[in-house]
Amino acid sequence: MPQKRNRAEETDAVDSSSSSDMEAEFDEPTKNHDGDDGHPQDKENENELTSARTTAAVTNNNGSAKKQTTQKASIISPQLLQVYYSRLFPYHLLYEWLSYNPALCSSLLRGETKHVPSSYSSSSNNKTFAHREFSFTVEISPGEETYMRYQSFKDQAEFEAAVRKRNPGKIDIGAVFSHPPKDRHALQGSKERKLEPRQRELVFDVDLTDYDSVRKCGCSSANICLKCWKMMGMAIKVMDVGLREDFGFQNIAWFYSGRRGVHAWVCDESARTLSDAGRSAVASYFEVNLGTDKNNRVEIYSPLHPALSRAHEILEPMFVQDILPHHGHGILASEENWTELLDTLPSPASTVREALLKKWKRDSSSSPKEKWLELKRYLDVLIGKSDSGKKSKQAKNMTASEKSRVELWPIATVFKYTYPRLDINVSKMQNHLLKSPFCVHPKTGRVCVPIDVLKVEEFNPFEVPTLPQLIEELDAFEGGGQEEEAMEYEWQKTSLRESYEHFQRSVLVPMWKDLKRAEKDHQERNAAMTGDF
């Protein structure tokens, strides 16, 4: 059996030192947090396939390596990965996205070319891509991996050549630095030319393992099912609207992690250039103390912050639909479960607890939704806030603090089961690596595909194609005699097509338009200053 690991080891992100420690870190091996790397399991039909001892080697460019023993399980062979990287990996999408190059996007928006022009690939105005850090996790022999940080590439062609040569089991993406990260050794000792992070997308990581205390579907740790996956959709809805409405971000891409979570990449320039303090502030804005194993109390206060009021409006209907009933997590679907829920009522509401326990035991025919609405009505009457004008005798003897606790309890309960649980450490540093979209997860074989936020309820992680499935789709397409002339990329012959074209249409094109608009504004400001109209 695989060894149990803590949350820090389960993250998709690779933690990095701050820029002040950068020079000291150059020659030090960096631990690879190979998290979210297990196998998502539908309880009925998906199981861990293999588990073998692996020695993970952490290596830098001068060949020094530090080996550490870990558990490693993979269903993807190097041969299958080679096929994926040679035929299906969308190098052009990654390059067009991470270049943030107005010249490149201008050409693509006009439809002048369907491919990346070589003149843009190596141009001086494309330092954003050339200064980007990538890391590779590469199998150097069966059961032995090396982790390679500070990789950088001048253009798409060089990146593609390196990936196809090294055949990495995992690719991580880091910050854009002041200089190409691969040149870091040449910069050591120079006071004028330091390798420092200059920009990086604001990223968020939401993982179902952080919901273990409230998953009542039977899943825990790496196991997932469609019941608990709904919690990821809830997190996406709250985070996406908050980032757009409260911070003004527009270019937000959501991706399936390949196993048991989701990642957000906020690509606006204002987000990419945030300091570490700014990133921490944005991430903290979304944090709510949802309790611990020892203290289950959700810490929210009256008056409720407008962002939390909006989150509650979004989440309560989904809580009623997907958490309360038997086909969800069943917290109001049986006497045992509703007793457990009523036991969490604050002490001033003990009379409500007793009354409803008796009533529902006597007649349990009402639905979970009806029970929830009835429970809220009882609480409103208790504190004298009922729309019907009813007020309990107890209300006049309750303190303001007691009334507030009772009033906030339904909101806190909704948040406990549905509010986003962020791994804030992933978000708060520029110099932090996160698994690249479009990779293949080594434990599941599933591709880290984009998620359409407008269709998040329809997203099913068990329907995301696996690499073996994609190879079969390629073979079926090419053996079926379909017209290939219209297919520019081989991924268009597979079930990846819908999600990848969504990424182009809904993420890249709006981002490119913003880049062109910003470039035009910059040119007009310069012209106004110089009188060159």
Side-chain angles (χ1 to χ4, degrees):
M1 294 291 291
Q3 292 177 344
K4 187 175 181 179
R5 295 183 292 179
N6 60 34
R7 178 67 181 99
E9 293 173 312
E10 291 287 349
T11 182
D12 270 316
V14 178
D15 203 357
S16 303
S17 68
S18 64
S19 58
S20 62
D21 295 330
M22 188 68 65
E23 292 185 53
E25 188 187 16
F26 284 162
D27 289 319
E28 292 299 318
T30 304
K31 183 177 181 181
N32 178 19
H33 293 223
D34 188 26
D36 197 7
D37 58 357
H39 188 57
Q41 301 174 28
D42 184 292
K43 292 175 293 183
E44 297 179 356
N45 58 20
E46 294 208 28
N47 297 299
E48 196 75 51
L49 298 184
T50 59
S51 179
R53 298 291 292 179
T54 297
T55 301
V58 181
T59 304
N60 59 27
N61 280 356
N62 64 13
S64 64
K66 180 179 180 180
K67 295 183 179 181
Q68 56 192 29
T69 303
T70 63
Q71 291 284 347
K72 183 69 176 177
S74 178
I75 65 169
I76 301 303
S77 69
Q79 293 74 24
L80 281 177
L81 268 180
Q82 285 176 343
V83 174
Y84 181 70
Y85 286 133
S86 64
R87 301 186 63 183
L88 294 172
F89 189 84
Y91 297 99
H92 61 293
L93 294 184
L94 204 64
Y95 179 76
E96 291 162 9
W97 167 28
L98 297 179
S99 292
Y100 299 105
N101 186 341
L104 171 59
C105 69
S106 176
S107 175
L108 292 168
L109 283 172
R110 290 195 305 268
E112 294 176 358
T113 177
K114 295 181 180 180
H115 298 282
V116 175
S118 58
S119 59
Y120 295 141
S121 295
S122 58
S123 63
S124 60
N125 66 351
N126 193 29
K127 290 182 180 178
T128 303
F129 187 85
H131 290 197
R132 172 82 66 169
E133 180 189 2
F134 293 87
S135 74
F136 294 161
T137 302
V138 179
E139 185 178 61
I140 55 178
S141 63
E144 188 174 13
E145 289 180 340
T146 183
Y147 177 61
M148 306 170 63
R149 273 201 67 177
Y150 301 109
Q151 308 297 299
S152 59
F153 311 96
K154 67 178 182 180
D155 54 27
Q156 176 184 328
E158 190 172 278
F159 173 67
E160 181 173 349
V163 171
R164 294 179 67 166
K165 177 182 178 181
R166 298 195 180 277
N167 204 34
K170 183 170 175 247
I171 301 173
D172 292 295
I173 300 175
V176 177
F177 285 84
S178 52
H179 304 277
K182 65 183 177 182
D183 296 338
R184 70 190 188 282
H185 290 301
L187 302 174
Q188 289 188 67
S190 172
K191 294 182 179 180
E192 294 77 21
R193 302 177 66 214
K194 292 185 178 181
L195 188 66
E196 299 174 329
R198 292 291 171 83
Q199 63 169 280
R200 196 255 193 282
E201 295 78 10
L202 177 62
V203 294
F204 295 93
D205 176 18
V206 191
D207 194 302
L208 271 171
T209 54
D210 291 324
Y211 291 72
D212 280 359
S213 62
V214 295
R215 287 201 277 175
K216 305 298 182 183
C217 54
C219 294
S220 63
S221 188
N223 301 340
I224 71 169
C225 67
L226 291 180
K227 292 179 181 180
C228 58
W229 182 258
K230 301 263 187 194
M231 294 170 169
M232 293 294 94
M234 299 171 189
I236 289 175
K237 287 195 169 187
V238 170
M239 292 294 299
D240 194 77
V241 71
L243 289 166
R244 294 179 190 277
E245 294 187 6
D246 299 346
F247 292 94
F249 299 136
Q250 296 300 318
N251 301 304
I252 305 169
W254 287 93
F255 294 91
Y256 173 45
S257 72
R259 190 186 191 192
R260 57 175 183 261
V262 294
H263 298 157
W265 294 68
V266 186
C267 305
D268 302 66
E269 184 178 5
S270 58
R272 302 198 314 269
T273 54
L274 277 173
S275 65
D276 288 349
R279 291 164 194 271
S280 294
V282 175
S284 297
Y285 179 81
F286 289 100
E287 275 200 311
V288 171
N289 188 339
L290 298 173
T292 63
D293 292 338
K294 295 182 179 180
N295 178 13
N296 290 321
R297 183 177 177 182
V298 177
E299 293 186 8
I300 55 174
Y301 303 96
S302 183
L304 206 61
H305 189 282
L308 296 182
S309 295
R310 181 187 60 219
H312 181 251
E313 291 176 5
I314 294 171
L315 293 171
E316 188 177 28
M318 292 185 282
F319 171 80
V320 170
Q321 178 180 323
D322 299 317
I323 303 297
L324 296 180
H326 179 73
H327 67 258
H329 294 256
I331 66 172
L332 276 180
S334 68
E335 182 177 357
E336 178 184 359
N337 288 352
W338 70 58
T339 299
E340 181 180 346
L341 179 64
L342 291 174
D343 284 344
T344 67
L345 283 166
S347 55
S350 59
T351 55
V352 171
R353 175 188 179 279
E354 298 304 321
L356 290 178
L357 281 176
K358 290 178 182 178
K359 182 176 182 181
W360 293 346
K361 186 168 185 176
R362 186 171 60 250
D363 180 9
S364 62
S365 60
S366 59
S367 68
K369 178 179 179 180
E370 291 169 335
K371 286 183 173 65
W372 178 249
L373 296 176
E374 185 176 31
L375 170 55
K376 293 206 299 179
R377 284 197 303 270
Y378 271 54
L379 294 176
D380 285 343
V381 170
L382 176 67
I383 61 176
K385 283 201 168 186
S386 173
D387 292 337
S388 66
K390 291 182 179 179
K391 183 182 294 187
S392 70
K393 295 180 181 179
Q394 189 178 344
K396 64 177 74 173
N397 298 321
M398 294 175 67
T399 66
S401 175
E402 289 174 331
K403 288 182 179 180
S404 178
R405 287 174 57 200
V406 173
E407 183 180 12
L408 291 173
W409 180 88
I411 301 172
T413 300
V414 170
F415 282 0
K416 177 181 176 181
Y417 287 90
T418 62
Y419 193 82
R421 297 175 179 238
L422 301 178
D423 182 354
I424 193 171
N425 290 323
V426 172
S427 307
K428 67 183 184 180
M429 291 179 62
Q430 267 191 335
N431 187 23
H432 204 118
L433 289 90
L434 186 66
K435 182 167 59 182
S436 171
F438 314 117
C439 282
V440 177
H441 200 289
K443 293 288 185 64
T444 66
R446 300 189 192 279
V447 180
C448 302
V449 295
I451 297 175
D452 185 347
V453 72
L454 299 178
K455 299 179 180 179
V456 68
E457 298 94 342
E458 301 173 21
F459 185 84
N460 182 341
F462 298 108
E463 292 179 356
V464 173
T466 63
L467 183 46
Q469 176 187 335
L470 291 171
I471 303 305
E472 290 179 2
E473 290 176 7
L474 276 178
D475 291 342
F477 184 94
E478 293 170 354
Q482 290 96 327
E483 290 289 331
E484 295 191 34
E485 287 73 21
M487 298 297 179
E488 184 180 357
Y489 302 105
E490 296 211 69
W491 53 258
Q492 293 174 310
K493 304 173 185 178
T494 73
S495 52
L496 292 172
R497 180 170 184 167
E498 182 179 355
S499 61
Y500 284 11
E501 290 184 348
H502 154 73
F503 179 73
Q504 289 179 303
R505 181 176 59 254
S506 301
V507 177
L508 290 186
V509 170
M511 185 185 76
W512 289 336
K513 289 180 177 178
D514 283 351
L515 289 170
K516 287 303 299 177
R517 192 179 303 114
E519 183 187 45
K520 182 179 179 182
D521 290 344
H522 179 70
Q523 291 172 344
E524 290 178 350
R525 284 195 301 270
N526 285 345
M529 292 177 65
T530 61
D532 183 17
F533 295 100

